[in-house]
């Protein structure tokens, strides 16, 4: 009986001993953290340096998605460069009418008496963005202010022009007058997930297109929001 009483007494003290001897939880600090991120962008598409006759007739939207590899270069890791790969699609609803006769592409502006349901140009790109990054991030928090500015090189791998009216429909793909290579500068700035985004195309959309003997020389201008996701 004495042995049983001793065992019961020892077991009753074990929880107290374990509490007193518990080691503090160690927190591992990642001093080499990166802000590798997926991005999703939604933009309103406009045209810069366009002729006075060229006008938007409906809302033109764009969408982009991709991944950026973060490479910090200062001790606090608040400065970095990043390079990535992505996909984007831009739509353009304008009063520019495109027609094809054999291998010849003809461009004109809609006459005032023309009635139509759709006149849309859809551009699909593979994007290679390269950017310089400044942010207030730390290894403990992913909520921070950021200013990212960079250069984007894009390859047009597919384009579609769609026209629909009561008189008939028209679809043109892979227009050779469009620039296959697009390049431009952009800026993304904001806090946490929500960021204002602006992109300006340095070279024009078209490389060889004329309306009434006037060179068509519009440049892409995108304004919208960019969302970064770890």
């Amino acid at each position: 009986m004495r042995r049983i009483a001793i065992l019961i007494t020892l077991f009753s003290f074990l929880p107290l001993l374990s509490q007193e001897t518990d080691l503090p939880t160690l927190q591992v600090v990642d001093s080499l953290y990166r802000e590798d991120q997926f991005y999703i962008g939604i933009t309103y598409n406009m045209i810069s340096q366009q002729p006075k006759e060229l006008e938007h007739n409906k809302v033109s939207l764009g969408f982009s998605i991709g991944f950026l590899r973060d490479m910090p270069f200062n001790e606090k890791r608040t400065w970095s460069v990043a390079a990535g790969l992505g996909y984007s699609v831009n739509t353009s609803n304008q009063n520019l009418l495109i027609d094809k006769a054999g291998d010849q592409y003809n461009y004109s502006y809609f006459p005032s008496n023309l009635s139509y349901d759709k006149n849309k140009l859809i551009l699909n790109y593979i994007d290679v963005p390269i950017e310089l990054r400044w942010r207030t991030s730390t290894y403990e928090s992913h909520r921070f202010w950021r200013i990212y500015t960079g250069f984007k090189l894009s390859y047009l791998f597919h384009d579609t022009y769609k026209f629909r009216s009561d008189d008939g429909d028209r679809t043109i793909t892979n227009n050779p007058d469009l620039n296959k290579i697009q390049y431009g500068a952009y800026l993304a700035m904001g806090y946490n997930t929500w960021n204002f985004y602006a992109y300006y195309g340095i070279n024009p959309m078209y490389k060889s297109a004329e309306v009434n003997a006037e060179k068509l020389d519009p440049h892409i201008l995108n304004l919208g929001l960019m969302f970064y996701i770890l």
Side-chain angles (χ1 to χ4, degrees), residues 5 7 34 38 71 74 97 118 134 157 176 217-218 230:
L7 289 174
R34 299 174 184 266
F38 293 94
M71 293 170 280
N74 69 325
L97 186 64
K118 178 184 290 188
W134 173 85
F157 69 90
D217 194 35
L230 290 178

Side-chain angles (χ1 to χ4, degrees), residues 20 24 37 40 51 55 66 80 97 114 133 155 166 168 170 176 188 197 210 220 224 228:
E20 292 177 357
Q37 292 164 114
I40 299 175
E55 299 176 351
S80 76
L97 186 64
L114 179 62
R133 296 175 156 194
Y155 173 72
D166 294 337
R170 183 183 310 158
Y197 176 83
E210 293 183 351
I220 298 173
Y228 292 98

Side-chain angles (χ1 to χ4, degrees), residues 2 8 14 42 51 60-61 72 87 108 116 152 157 161 208 214 219:
R2 180 180 294 178
I8 293 174
L14 279 177
I42 301 173
S60 300
L61 298 178
Y87 161 78
S108 60
Y116 63 93
K152 184 171 69 172
F157 69 90
Y161 169 75
S208 57
E214 180 183 5
H219 292 241

